[in-house]
Amino acid sequence: MRILHTSDWHIGRTFHGHPTLDALRGVLDALVAQVREHAVDVVIVAGDVFDSAAPSAACYPLLSQTLAALADTGARVVATSGNHDSAARLGFQSALLREEITVVTDPTTIGTPVTLTDEHGPVHVYGIPYLEPAIVRHLWSGVELRSQAQTMAHALELVRADLAERGGRSIVAAHCFAAGVEATPGVEREIRQGGLDVVPLSAFDGPDYVALGHIHGRQQLSDRVRYAGAPLHYSFGEAGKPRGSWLVELGATGLSSVEWLELPVPRPLVTLRGRLDDLLDDQRFDGHDEHWVRAEYTDATPQPDPMRRLQTRFPWCATVVHLPHETLPDDGAGYARRVRAARDDAEVIDAFLVHVREGEGASDAERSLIREVLDARAVAEARA
């Protein structure tokens, strides 16, 4: 039996203020084509289907069209809710969906699998929605559930107990932060508190394969426990990291093989660094006009209107950061000392410019303008 493991679609997410729905639609179309090409039996979407608990109206057609297209390939689809999703909104139509599509959002269904059969017997797919301990602990009396680790461990105990009675092979889909993963700063919403909510790898013992969601880059924690990551890049920290999904094959006795299937990257990410004039004119930065660009300009002082100027060369420049290449060494003359040593207002202003510009004072033109303003103020005060 073949299983495609994907996650973290984040339908509705923006990239530095730019909508991503059209790009995601193209990538999900490619994923549907892979499902058809590889004759996949089950598609697992391991949480964070939407990016928000209250997605816009435009997000719902993309989800419904993609789920229907996956089902039309002949595959069974099992999707779970993640920490970004509203379980109520994601699951409210689940009873009306085609029988080939199952959306798991109800914690009380943990331990009740979707069961498929191949020539080797049954395969049980257990969906575990994102579990917030404070919200779900009342569902299981007598069980201490104060952390993600405890809550996920209890969910897996329910799975193992059910599997022991049913027998056969099994897949688990869950959304959590597992021990040993490398997160991308600023990308995955924090669902840990002081490290207590990291789920240990041992919690996932038992199933033949565990399809995890929440981390946006592909990661392999063991042969049978993996993250597929998000189908799009949502941060410049993810630049160069592959996008795709895991194609998992179960044989007669369990996990047989796992293969990575690449997905297209609609617009690659690149970080360009140099003086602003070089970023605007230097030929070494050619070829990035269709990339998402993070520009880091290294001029000693902030430059006027850098985003507008950079977008004339890089239309998809999404962020600009001023990172001076050199900073003024500490000569022992701090800002307050320079101000005290100033002989007139013009020198006070120059001391301020030296301070905020990392060592560069007023230019000749600026000195002339400063002097003109100060002289005009002196005349006005004399007349008062």
Side-chain angles (χ1 to χ4, degrees):
M1 185 169 292
R2 289 182 175 177
I3 300 97
L4 190 83
H5 167 198
T6 178
S7 71
D8 295 274
W9 290 359
H10 286 280
I11 300 173
R13 188 160 186 159
T14 59
F15 182 79
H16 293 273
H18 298 268
T20 62
L21 274 180
D22 287 343
L24 182 59
R25 181 178 290 106
V27 173
L28 293 179
D29 285 346
L31 185 142
V32 171
Q34 290 178 341
V35 170
R36 183 176 289 107
E37 175 188 354
H38 293 277
V40 170
D41 299 294
V42 186
V43 176
I44 290 175
V45 188
D48 280 354
V49 177
F50 291 121
D51 185 61
S52 166
S56 69
C59 298
Y60 290 95
L62 177 55
L63 175 60
S64 59
Q65 291 162 11
T66 302
L67 292 179
L70 289 170
D72 286 344
T73 67
R76 186 70 183 267
V77 182
V78 178
T80 65
S81 54
N83 60 299
H84 278 250
D85 297 307
S86 162
R89 283 191 173 91
L90 183 61
F92 87 101
Q93 283 186 327
S94 58
L96 304 177
L97 294 173
R98 294 163 52 172
E99 63 179 3
E100 302 95 337
I101 303 170
T102 301
V103 178
V104 182
T105 60
D106 183 357
T108 63
T109 65
I110 295 173
T112 303
V114 172
T115 299
L116 299 91
T117 304
D118 64 8
E119 66 272 24
H120 303 299
V123 173
H124 309 293
V125 181
Y126 294 89
I128 301 176
Y130 171 67
L131 302 173
E132 179 63 47
I135 295 175
V136 302
R137 66 169 62 112
H138 73 281
L139 298 174
W140 298 289
S141 60
V143 181
E144 184 178 5
L145 302 178
R146 297 187 177 277
S147 69
Q148 277 283 308
Q150 291 174 325
T151 307
M152 189 59 66
H154 178 65
L156 268 297
E157 287 175 4
L158 296 175
V159 168
R160 284 187 287 266
D162 183 80
L163 185 59
E165 293 184 5
R166 295 178 187 271
R169 295 156 295 165
S170 61
I171 301 287
V172 164
H175 195 87
C176 66
F177 196 108
V181 302
E182 296 180 8
T184 303
V187 177
E188 296 93 1
R189 182 181 294 169
E190 187 65 58
I191 57 174
R192 299 174 298 161
Q193 295 179 1
L196 294 177
D197 286 355
V198 175
V199 180
L201 192 59
S202 59
F204 304 110
D205 289 349
D208 293 290
Y209 183 81
V210 179
L212 295 179
H214 182 57
I215 301 302
H216 283 200
R218 72 172 183 190
Q219 295 197 36
Q220 177 181 339
L221 305 185
S222 74
D223 287 343
R224 39 176 291 281
V225 182
R226 301 174 189 242
Y227 285 94
L232 285 182
H233 292 118
Y234 292 114
S235 164
F236 281 99
E238 299 176 300
K241 296 182 179 179
R243 304 288 90 171
S245 52
W246 294 111
L247 179 63
V248 180
E249 187 157 351
L250 297 185
T253 60
L255 185 63
S256 175
S257 66
V258 183
E259 177 187 355
W260 177 253
L261 299 183
E262 294 274 356
L263 283 171
V265 176
R267 194 177 303 283
L269 282 67
V270 64
T271 296
L272 306 179
R273 182 177 175 85
R275 293 177 61 254
L276 185 59
D277 286 344
D278 292 338
L279 292 172
L280 292 170
D281 300 319
D282 199 307
Q283 291 183 353
R284 76 178 186 273
F285 298 119
D286 287 349
H288 297 297
D289 54 307
E290 290 298 322
H291 292 182
W292 287 118
V293 171
R294 170 187 165 91
E296 299 177 350
Y297 72 95
T298 60
D299 302 61
T301 60
Q303 299 299 298
D305 206 5
M307 176 64 85
R308 181 190 61 79
R309 296 163 65 188
L310 284 163
Q311 285 181 339
T312 62
R313 183 176 187 184
F314 310 110
W316 299 100
C317 182
T319 183
V320 178
V321 182
H322 179 218
L323 295 175
H325 182 65
E326 296 180 356
T327 58
L328 185 69
D330 185 4
D331 60 1
Y335 174 54
R337 182 176 173 182
R338 291 191 187 97
V339 170
R340 287 194 299 269
R343 293 169 294 181
D344 56 26
D345 288 345
E347 290 191 0
V348 170
I349 294 172
D350 192 66
F352 172 76
L353 293 176
V354 169
H355 177 66
V356 299
R357 290 177 170 180
E358 303 284 354
E360 184 176 319
S363 65
D364 290 341
E366 289 170 334
R367 288 193 186 95
S368 177
L369 180 60
I370 291 167
R371 177 51 60 193
E372 181 180 334
V373 172
L374 292 176
D375 289 346
R377 188 190 68 174
V379 171
E381 288 177 347
R383 291 175 177 174

